[in-house]
Amino acid sequence: MPDNSFDVIVLGAGAAGLMCAAQAGARGRRVLVLERAQEPGKKILISGGGRCNFTNVHTAPDRFISANPHFAKSALSRYTPHDFLGLVVAHGIAWHEKTLGQLFCDGSARQIVEMLLDECAKSGVMIACGEDVANVEHRGAGFTVTASARTVEAVSLVIATGGPSIPKMGATGFAYELARLFGLKVVEPRPALVPLTLGGEDVLFRDLSGVATPVEARCGKASFHEAALFTHRGLSGPAILQVSSYWQRGKAVEIDFLPGERFGWLVAAKQANPRATLRSVLRNAMPQRLADALADRIGIEGPLANAADAVLHQAEKRLADWQFHPNGTEGFAKAEVTVGGISTAELSSKTMEAKRVPGLFAVGEAVDVTGWLGGYNFQWAWASGWAAGQTA
Ligand code: FDA
């Protein structure tokens, strides 16, 4: 086989591309990975605060957002968190479970990159970094790829160039350009797992910058019990990042500031201590600055004994269903992932191959499948990369 000819070319040495390459290589395929950056796996290296939240033991299809909620089922069921953990353990990488089923390295995210590179090396995969892919052509049964320093060809081409989140790391919408070149539809991409910005009346909450509290945040049918954080631009923290993936312009985000309380708790507080005020009761339940801001806005002054039960019930309802109207997000610059991408309608859910372009595959964040916060996005990268690697 000539030096510039391969069975499989994988574009992008990120999580999905490296997994796919190692799998295809293990099947005896001659694989080349082309990576624009000077080193592979840059997003893995910065993930999970440098410790890589590499999977989540609660992985299930309902924790992924896609125009087709069934699409991810096949790949996720064939390559599970257990399978990835098996690889981690086989490579002697120490790990631990944090909260909510999130698995992290004890040491460094670099161990995950090294593990993937080891797997690629074992399978004879070639990885070329500093190779910005400029042009791709489909000729006959194969693909010709022109990158910075070479022109190469292969029977199979895997798009694993990720999404446009964090452009300062070199992320772009290149996957979508390629998909469109081949006539594949793209679901409008938008930033996800991203802080929301507040304007209008909500802007007053920016004074609370730095205050964090456990809440239930809701957007449409999605709801998350985690911490919310007020920022100088709006709202952040895990609960908000989670709902941001479901949020669209014009929609409200509802926050329950006291998710542990049952209806009637404020009336019960009045009965227990008639001289207590709304402010004092809230101060016992949440950070003082937040308690004061909410009490000011609700406006029940003086001892609770002076307030009718119906008024207290109204206050409870407001605290359980506080309506924020974000005016935007902090955009791709701050988004951990992208919602939308190459339409799943174009791909086989079993192999990730384009139905209309035999030999063309798409995996990972480039595809319209987006996981919750907490290791789900890497699990999708591993599972979709693995699925493509069995066929490409
Ligand atoms: P990924 O972006 O990893 O890889 C794409 C590769 O393609 C990159 O290396 C890029 O340089 C390359 N490329 C792009 N264009 C190219 C071109 N034209 N030519 C050649 N190469 C090109 N998820 C999770 O589950 N747990 C976590 O802890 C975190 N933490 C986290 C932190 C931060 C700050 C961010 C931004 C994101 C996360 N994520 C995460 C999300 C996770 O990083 C993301 O879902 C995966 O990296 C997606 O893997 P992919 O392989 O699809 O894309």
Side-chain angles (χ1 to χ4, degrees), residues 285-333:
M286 61 182 68
Q288 182 174 324
R289 277 163 71 202
L290 176 61
D292 291 350
L294 295 175
D296 287 346
R297 282 166 181 75
I298 292 173
I300 299 174
E301 297 298 341
L304 291 176
N306 295 350
D309 286 1
V311 171
L312 297 182
H313 281 147
Q314 274 307 112
E316 282 178 18
K317 275 195 198 141
R318 199 158 166 213
L319 287 163
D321 193 16
W322 204 282
Q323 304 273 318
F324 287 94
H325 298 276
N327 60 6
T329 73
E330 290 196 24
F332 284 115

Side-chain angles (χ1 to χ4, degrees), residues 41-347:
K42 276 174 80 180
K43 272 199 186 163
I44 302 175
L45 292 175
I46 59 155
S47 68
R51 288 219 158 86
C52 187
N53 176 194
F54 55 79
T55 191
N56 193 298
V57 295
H58 302 309
T59 294
D62 65 356
R63 279 138 199 249
F64 294 82
I65 302 163
S66 171
N68 176 0
H70 302 292
F71 181 81
K73 285 181 181 169
S74 172
L76 291 174
S77 68
R78 283 179 303 131
Y79 192 81
T80 66
H82 191 72
D83 292 323
F84 191 77
L85 186 57
L87 197 58
V88 167
V89 170
H91 281 257
I93 300 173
W95 59 278
H96 62 279
E97 181 172 344
K98 234 176 159 182
T99 52
L100 305 170
Q102 306 169 80
L103 304 192
F104 284 79
C105 298
D106 287 358
S108 156
R110 190 166 288 281
Q111 294 173 289
I112 298 293
V113 176
E114 278 165 9
M115 174 187 89
L116 293 166
L117 294 179
D118 270 5
E119 290 293 310
C120 284
K122 263 196 319 206
S123 310
V125 171
M126 285 175 62
I127 301 177
C129 290
E131 288 283 3
D132 197 356
V133 175
N135 190 38
V136 176
E137 282 176 59
H138 191 198
R139 289 198 199 128
F143 298 85
T144 303
V145 178
T146 309
S148 309
R150 62 188 84 201
T151 296
V152 282
E153 52 186 39
V155 182
S156 296
L157 181 72
V158 182
I159 304 174
T161 50
S165 42
I166 319 283
K168 76 168 186 234
M169 290 187 66
T172 65
F174 181 68
Y176 315 143
E177 277 172 47
L178 265 188
R180 289 188 182 111
L181 186 75
F182 288 104
L184 308 186
K185 288 197 195 83
V186 173
V187 175
E188 186 57 30
R190 50 172 223 277
L193 299 182
V194 63
L196 297 172
T197 54
L198 296 177
E201 285 183 14
D202 293 338
V203 86
L204 293 170
F205 280 93
R206 288 195 204 158
D207 292 348
L208 296 177
S209 181
V211 171
T213 190
V215 300
E216 181 186 88
R218 297 185 291 265
C219 187
K221 288 185 184 152
S223 73
F224 297 91
H225 268 93
E226 281 187 71
L229 168 72
F230 289 91
T231 71
H232 66 287
R233 296 193 61 190
L235 293 167
S236 188
I240 301 301
L241 298 182
Q242 296 279 34
V243 289
S244 74
S245 302
Y246 293 85
W247 182 80
Q248 282 177 38
R249 208 162 277 282
K251 275 192 181 178
V253 167
E254 293 142 18
I255 291 192
D256 183 347
F257 282 109
L258 292 165
E261 297 291 1
R262 291 183 172 198
F263 186 67
W265 66 271
L266 196 49
V267 174
K270 170 170 92 168
Q271 285 157 1
N273 181 4
R275 295 175 57 179
T277 61
L278 177 63
R279 189 176 305 264
S280 67
V281 170
L282 291 181
R283 279 183 176 189
N284 284 335
M286 61 182 68
Q288 182 174 324
R289 277 163 71 202
L290 176 61
D292 291 350
L294 295 175
D296 287 346
R297 282 166 181 75
I298 292 173
I300 299 174
E301 297 298 341
L304 291 176
N306 295 350
D309 286 1
V311 171
L312 297 182
H313 281 147
Q314 274 307 112
E316 282 178 18
K317 275 195 198 141
R318 199 158 166 213
L319 287 163
D321 193 16
W322 204 282
Q323 304 273 318
F324 287 94
H325 298 276
N327 60 6
T329 73
E330 290 196 24
F332 284 115
K334 293 284 166 62
E336 215 164 272
V337 286
T338 309
V339 158
I342 299 173
S343 170
T344 57
E346 304 282 4
L347 306 173

